Amino acid sequence: MRTLHERVGGDAALEEVVGALYERLSADERVQHFFDPDRLPELRASQVRWFRSVLGGAPPEDRPDIAAAHAGLTITDDHVDAVLGHLSVCLHGVGLEPDVHRQVMALVKRLWLARQF
Amino acid sequence: MRDEVVGRQAELESITSAIGRPDLAGVVLIGEPGIGKTHLLEAALRRGREVGFATERIAGTRALADLPLGAFASLLPGRPSGDVGDLVSLRDELRARAIDRPILLGVDDAHLLDDASAAVVHQLACDLTVFVIGTVRAGVIPPDAVTALWKDRLADRVEIGALGHEAMARLVESRAGAVPEPDVTDAVWRRSGGNPLFAVELLQSAIGAGSIVVDGGRLSMVGELPTPTSVTELLGARLVGLDPAERSALDLLAVGGTLDVTVMEELVHPDALVRLEGLGLLVADETGSGLDLRFAHPLLADAVLATTGRLVVRQLRRRLADALEARGGAQTDEVLRIVTLRLESGGSSPPPMLTSGALIAMRRQDHALAERLARVAYAEQPTLPIACLIAQACTEQGRAEDAITALTDPAIDRTAARPTHRVVAAALEAQIRFWSLGDAPGALDRLAAIPPDDAADHQRHIDGTMAAIHAGRGDVRAALALTADPATADTEVGAAARIVASVGAGEPILDLDDDLLTRFAAAPGWSVALSAHVFALAEVGRVDDARSMALDLWEEAVRRHSPHGRVGWAIALGTIELTSGRLDSAGRWFDEAARLAPFTAATGHGRRWALGGALVVAMHTGDRDAADRLAAELEQMTFPGSGFGDLLGLQGLAWRAALVHGSDVGVARLEQLASEAIADGRIGDLVHIATDIARLGHAASGAALLDRVASGGTLPVTGDLLPTLIDGVRALAANDVETLSATADRLAQLGAGLLAAEAAAAAFALAEAAGEEQRALATRQRRAQELRAGVGTAFTPALAAAPTEIPLSRREREIATLVAEGRTSREVAEHLVIGVRTVESHLARVFRKLGISSRAELAEALQLGRTLEGSTT
């Protein structure tokens, strides 16, 4: 069976999605303060690694520690909605099948909420 | 039951950590009755809701365990689901209710789920629609689809054990609102064995009986604990003293599983329900359309049923069925529940309701129930359409003879049936006779016996069915002749026949219009036509296109919960991966198909094909044990003819015969298959068989077979793959190294990895035997190694014939390794304390042996050699 990573279109598609995502995040007043312009390349690379692992394209130990990355940040539901909205648009941008798009979004949302338990 | 779960912090954390793992789609809580699984499940759902999940809850119940999708009744929209299928409407309903939030689906008592519900839960978890939190009673075997959750590593198992002494003290305190003296905790803990439900019931009953008393905020023992020794017995004690209305409500619930509150209110006084809720015996859950009632704990249902008389149960079922019908249930999918309840209560329903129920049961894959309902309807009205329904249900259960008996029953009044029904019944009988019983003459006779008056308006359908049988048994000439008329080819079965036949004939049809393809995709079950189209793509060398299309269709079949589709596409994918030399992947697909095939015994054909494919994989990877096992099962099967899909199994058996009895025996078998293919006009199959013969070391015989059908040296085949295979066989027979090398490259381009590797290996072996100059020979060896590395675990005679290790001396290897690490000749010379010239001359020999010309290529060439040595030892 194909992993979500493969169905999304592999690393090439992920790079594209994450690149577009950080462009939008940096331009969005609601959330841009979270993303230090000097660290963008590093953040992007880390985000790609996170997606790759979460979507089954790399083992769990390759996943960057999101908890550490978010430590000390005050993240509200509005921030989350903003980021997820941008992510959804960027995933559409690489022409995913609706079902794959839905699955990726469902997974990301679930993992986020799981951390709130 | 809204208090915190006591003493279960670690278990709750296991659940939440599972929800945070992207590789999981669920978690299953396993433990003995009363140990606190339901409680934990509810606590997890509650917390989930608090942090923003949408939550849903279903439960397996004894009452609904035999009703397909019974557990999902409250989530299924109250209208006929029709063509979209229940899974799709369920998914839509769940998503609509979740409003964009991720969903936690609680499945209490998953071991009691009916098979269809279990399959749906598995499916919803697989496609990430929900995260499942299930409970399963220890020591009980759940439905396969539930077990598959943890077997496939989709879900974690969390064992729920007994509470410790200290946790028991806290539990007692929280439930009694007073601090227990040590002897109270001790007694409760010992008697309950650490089982929380048992402990709580025991405590309440002891307080009620006055053997434990609350005094000044402390609990003390003043007498003996009550005697009951099981939870069910204790729960049973709570039922004593209920008034008749309350008791009747509980009885109804035990018989009905989960019930809508409006149905209950028609049958018992609403006040009784309110009182039962107050007593903590009933719980109401909100559903999309209203409120569903269920027992506060699943064990209460057992306690109620244990004390309800059988006659009462019969009467309650009838009342329940009447109430469901009174509110319009007969017009929706609920008709299945109504007719089932009536049957179980010894009553019956009118034949149209029974057949509606049977059709729903068929759609939900419960063919046994469908057959039962259809037979009851048939007893009252022996019509041809109902007989067809029975026949289909029997066939799905692998009972083809019974299906034929149903269709040929003299009690059927055929003259009253419409001509269309008579033709459909005849076609069905013919298909069952051929695909399930392997009786081609019987099948064709049945079609020929359709009276001309009936046939007049249905000739295309009849011709198409006939052609499919010809194509299936391998008579491609007859199939192509019957489908030459475009009108016939436009019927689904006609088109299927034409494609199957044309693949065999070596000239696959690829210009199917999208309309036809879409119609096939929408047809229930496995469509032979679509898979034939995929094979056609593979046959012309468009392996990647074929794989991608088959994967899409596989996922579609999974989404539609179509076992036929899953078997069909798993087989197609296995075959494609076999062609491309990805043997591990091919093996997995064939195993998957074989695993599913027993459940779709419609033909036996799927299983034969899957096992055949798995056997070929085993032969190609040198897995003797698997090959022996697979061959043993295949030898038991009858092959109705070397038709579509059977070739793989027969090839596999021939390969194994070659291994066990020597290549002459295997080749003789293949030659027999080739003669049959020639007689049937199956040129495509012939090319594959000739290729196999060449691969087993008898290239001359393979080439001779091809020449038998060639006119002017050419064979009537189209596309890219088959002509390339022909070139390969002939080049091998003629010791033509150059053509063979070119064939290897061409096959690699077409995605036929294993055959490419074998051709390259053979080219190298031939060139070496011919004493080719060393540098050219080394280049051929490098190419063979490269292609060999692409087919990992393959181990075939053709590959074994060509040595793949790199013939370097120890000194040469040492120097090559150092240079590959990026050192200069001078550094290497200093390191090894030898002259620079010596290094250079060793290096020149290394380059020649490896067939490379620069230091840059060295690392890769060495790496390739290591990979190969690792994989063949």
Side-chain angles (χ1 to χ4, degrees):
Chain A
M1 246 184 286
R2 285 190 292 180
T3 61
L4 263 183
H5 177 256
E6 287 170 287
R7 297 180 63 197
V8 162
D11 284 350
L14 278 187
E15 301 268 1
E16 196 180 329
V17 169
V18 172
L21 177 64
Y22 276 83
E23 239 168 66
R24 295 179 74 99
L25 294 175
S26 313
D28 184 335
E29 297 175 347
R30 292 170 297 175
V31 291
Q32 60 190 185
H33 61 281
F34 289 122
F35 307 99
D36 178 354
D38 296 337
R39 287 187 57 216
L40 272 188
E42 177 196 337
L43 291 175
R44 268 201 302 264
S46 161
Q47 192 71 65
V48 169
R49 284 211 313 281
W50 185 81
F51 270 112
R52 184 187 300 137
S53 159
V54 158
L55 302 182
E61 54 271 23
D62 286 4
R63 195 174 317 147
D65 184 357
I66 290 277
H70 289 169
L73 303 179
T74 308
I75 302 174
T76 66
D77 286 352
D78 288 343
H79 295 142
V80 176
D81 286 348
V83 173
L84 289 175
H86 289 308
L87 174 62
S88 172
V89 172
C90 296
L91 286 170
H92 278 305
V94 292
L96 295 190
E97 287 166 46
D99 217 42
V100 178
H101 183 277
R102 181 193 62 73
Q103 291 188 16
V104 175
M105 289 303 293
L107 187 59
V108 171
K109 285 180 193 172
R110 186 185 104 201
L111 297 183
W112 172 257
L113 289 185
R115 298 191 46 231
Q116 317 304 310
F117 266 94
Chain B
M1 292 204 173
R2 291 269 140 184
D3 55 334
E4 266 308 299
V5 268
V6 174
R8 295 297 191 199
Q9 210 44 47
E11 288 84 350
L12 263 179
E13 272 164 25
S14 301
I15 298 175
T16 49
S17 96
I19 298 174
R21 272 178 55 189
D23 56 323
L24 292 182
V27 58
V28 181
L29 315 176
I30 298 181
E32 60 173 83
I35 203 69
K37 304 181 295 293
T38 302
H39 220 50
L40 257 175
L41 168 68
E42 279 167 0
L45 291 179
R46 204 157 55 235
R47 287 202 190 175
R49 261 193 308 280
E50 282 162 17
V51 302
F53 280 97
T55 62
E56 298 287 353
R57 184 188 192 286
I58 62 165
T61 60
R62 239 175 269 291
L64 294 175
D66 294 327
L67 186 74
L69 288 187
F72 277 104
S74 67
L75 284 167
L76 279 169
R79 55 184 160 74
S81 48
D83 288 343
V84 288
D86 298 294
L87 179 64
V88 177
S89 35
L90 257 175
R91 201 187 337 241
D92 289 349
E93 177 72 15
L94 281 170
R95 286 189 196 147
R97 291 170 53 162
I99 328 171
D100 226 27
R101 289 168 298 169
I103 307 170
L104 295 180
L105 175 65
V107 185
D108 204 7
D109 278 351
H111 54 280
L112 288 178
L113 285 181
D114 60 275
D115 287 342
S117 293
V120 166
V121 168
H122 186 266
Q123 204 37 58
L124 291 171
C126 276
D127 80 359
L128 300 180
T129 300
V130 303
F131 184 91
V132 175
I133 307 175
T135 70
V136 167
R137 187 173 290 188
V140 178
I141 298 172
D144 287 348
V146 171
T147 320
L149 279 176
W150 62 80
K151 274 202 182 146
D152 297 350
R153 293 168 197 254
L154 275 172
D156 246 9
R157 282 163 59 109
V158 176
E159 307 279 346
I160 313 295
L163 284 185
H165 194 275
E166 192 264 341
M168 184 59 78
R170 282 187 289 131
L171 177 67
V172 171
E173 182 179 345
S174 81
R175 296 310 291 254
V179 181
E181 298 288 354
D183 58 339
V184 172
T185 305
D186 253 15
V188 173
W189 186 62
R190 273 174 213 289
R191 175 67 71 80
S192 68
N195 182 308
L197 182 66
F198 197 163
V200 167
E201 292 293 330
L202 198 60
L203 184 69
Q204 277 171 356
S205 122
I207 292 174
S211 51
I212 293 179
V213 295
V214 185
D215 184 22
R218 302 198 75 82
L219 278 181
S220 328
M221 290 283 286
V222 294
E224 290 293 304
L225 283 182
T227 47
T229 51
S230 78
V231 191
T232 320
E233 207 177 325
L234 268 171
L235 288 171
R238 284 175 67 182
L239 305 177
V240 178
L242 293 178
D243 74 27
E246 291 161 358
R247 176 65 204 208
S248 162
L250 293 185
D251 287 343
L252 270 168
L253 206 53
V255 167
T258 309
L259 281 177
D260 187 282
V261 71
T262 57
V263 177
M264 277 291 257
E265 284 176 348
E266 275 168 35
L267 297 167
V268 293
H269 198 284
D271 289 350
L273 300 177
V274 174
R275 287 197 300 276
L276 289 169
E277 191 183 27
L279 287 168
L281 293 169
L282 276 194
V283 178
D285 291 321
E286 273 185 53
T287 68
S289 47
L291 280 179
D292 262 0
L293 294 178
R294 64 174 166 89
F295 284 106
H297 195 283
L299 283 176
L300 278 166
D302 293 353
V304 170
L305 279 177
T307 51
T308 308
R310 293 192 166 201
L311 292 175
V312 176
V313 169
R314 273 167 77 95
Q315 195 189 37
L316 289 173
R317 285 190 174 131
R318 270 199 293 273
R319 283 175 61 198
L320 204 53
D322 292 345
L324 291 171
E325 189 174 357
R327 61 162 201 174
Q331 277 74 53
T332 70
D333 281 4
E334 206 152 55
V335 70
L336 178 58
R337 193 172 179 186
I338 298 172
V339 295
T340 314
L341 279 167
R342 290 240 171 84
L343 269 191
E344 287 166 348
S345 67
S348 184
S349 308
M353 271 177 77
L354 285 162
T355 41
S356 302
L359 283 168
I360 297 168
M362 283 287 273
R363 206 176 59 220
R364 296 180 178 177
Q365 309 293 331
D366 191 336
H367 306 114
L369 179 59
E371 183 189 348
R372 224 175 106 212
L373 298 174
R375 284 197 188 276
V376 176
Y378 185 82
E380 204 162 314
Q381 263 180 21
T383 66
L384 203 48
I386 300 181
C388 285
L389 196 53
I390 295 172
Q392 279 169 324
C394 289
T395 311
E396 290 287 348
Q397 296 172 78
R399 288 171 23 232
E401 281 91 353
D402 292 348
I404 299 292
T405 309
L407 284 170
T408 51
D409 184 0
I412 302 171
D413 182 1
R414 285 167 205 277
T415 51
R418 287 191 301 188
T420 311
H421 289 151
R422 286 196 293 264
V423 171
V424 166
L428 179 64
E429 187 187 329
Q431 284 173 340
I432 295 169
R433 283 194 189 280
F434 175 66
W435 292 104
S436 302
L437 299 172
D439 175 13
L444 294 170
D445 286 352
R446 182 66 194 90
L447 290 170
I450 297 174
D453 282 353
D454 282 358
D457 290 337
H458 302 93
Q459 198 56 50
R460 281 192 242 153
H461 186 75
I462 297 169
D463 284 350
T465 308
M466 221 176 247
I469 291 165
H470 284 306
R473 73 201 283 233
D475 188 348
V476 297
R477 289 182 214 272
L480 289 172
L482 272 168
T483 52
D485 175 4
T488 303
D490 194 38
T491 62
E492 184 184 330
V493 64
R498 186 158 183 85
I499 302 167
V500 175
S502 64
V503 171
E507 40 188 69
I509 298 177
L510 287 171
D511 54 349
L512 279 184
D513 66 80
D514 288 347
D515 240 23
L516 203 58
L517 283 178
T518 318
R519 250 168 49 210
F520 291 160
W526 173 27
S527 162
V528 178
L530 262 184
S531 65
H533 184 71
V534 167
F535 287 114
L537 286 170
E539 286 288 296
V540 296
R542 286 165 59 187
V543 174
D544 289 338
D545 287 347
R547 180 188 295 117
S548 143
M549 183 172 171
L551 276 170
D552 286 346
L553 288 159
W554 153 263
E555 267 151 25
E556 173 77 15
V558 169
R559 210 160 51 229
R560 284 177 178 276
H561 177 48
S562 154
H564 275 95
R566 287 172 69 183
V567 173
W569 296 115
I571 288 173
L573 283 158
T575 311
I576 290 165
E577 297 298 42
L578 192 59
T579 307
S580 61
R582 307 208 307 209
L583 298 179
D584 288 343
S585 177
R588 276 196 298 275
W589 285 115
F590 285 128
D591 287 349
E592 167 82 359
R595 191 173 65 77
L596 291 165
F599 306 120
T600 62
T603 63
H605 181 71
R607 185 164 182 82
R608 215 158 55 224
W609 192 336
L611 294 178
L615 176 57
V616 172
V617 170
M619 291 309 305
H620 284 179
T621 51
D623 185 347
R624 283 288 291 265
D625 290 345
D628 289 350
R629 182 171 47 77
L630 291 159
E633 185 171 348
L634 274 168
E635 303 271 14
Q636 302 284 316
M637 296 180 161
T638 43
F639 288 79
S642 22
F644 190 52
D646 279 341
L647 185 60
L648 211 47
L650 294 167
Q651 277 173 300
L653 289 172
W655 274 75
R656 185 163 172 283
L659 179 78
V660 177
H661 307 293
S663 71
D664 289 350
V665 179
V667 167
R669 277 208 191 194
L670 287 169
E671 281 175 333
Q672 175 60 32
L673 293 177
S675 298
E676 288 164 14
I678 291 171
D680 294 338
R682 282 179 289 120
I683 308 302
D685 288 351
L686 172 67
V687 174
H688 286 292
I689 297 167
T691 306
D692 269 5
I693 291 175
R695 293 169 69 197
L696 286 170
H698 295 240
S701 310
L705 278 169
L706 294 175
D707 287 341
R708 271 170 63 187
V709 290
S711 87
T714 57
L715 280 81
V717 294
T718 53
D720 291 319
L721 184 64
L722 294 178
T724 311
L725 291 178
I726 294 169
D727 289 348
V729 173
R730 288 180 165 162
L732 197 56
N735 291 341
D736 178 351
V737 176
E738 289 309 328
T739 305
L740 206 50
S741 284
T743 300
D745 291 339
R746 186 81 189 104
L747 287 170
Q749 266 173 23
L750 293 173
L754 178 58
L755 294 174
E758 291 191 1
F764 166 66
L766 280 180
E768 194 182 35
E772 193 174 52
E773 174 268 322
Q774 200 173 20
R775 184 174 287 268
L777 192 59
T779 309
R780 284 195 213 286
Q781 187 180 16
R782 286 243 307 140
R783 183 64 178 143
Q785 285 169 346
E786 256 168 37
L787 293 171
R788 173 78 180 79
V791 290
T793 49
F795 190 73
T796 59
L799 291 175
T804 46
E805 79 274 15
I806 301 168
L808 297 186
S809 71
R810 220 185 65 205
R811 196 54 147 181
E812 287 165 355
R813 187 175 291 271
E814 197 172 21
I815 290 169
T817 308
L818 289 167
V819 172
E821 285 167 1
R823 295 177 207 239
T824 62
S825 297
R826 177 163 299 281
E827 283 165 356
V828 174
E830 279 165 13
H831 186 79
L832 298 175
V833 203
I834 51 176
V836 177
R837 283 235 185 125
T838 316
V839 172
E840 299 272 347
S841 70
H842 275 303
L843 210 48
R845 266 199 307 281
V846 169
F847 280 17
R848 205 162 53 234
K849 284 185 177 178
L850 296 181
I852 58 175
S853 53
S854 73
R855 286 167 182 251
E857 294 166 81
L858 197 51
E860 201 194 331
L862 288 175
Q863 184 53 46
L864 195 60
R866 264 194 291 278
T867 313
L868 287 168
E869 280 154 29
S871 69
T872 50
T873 48

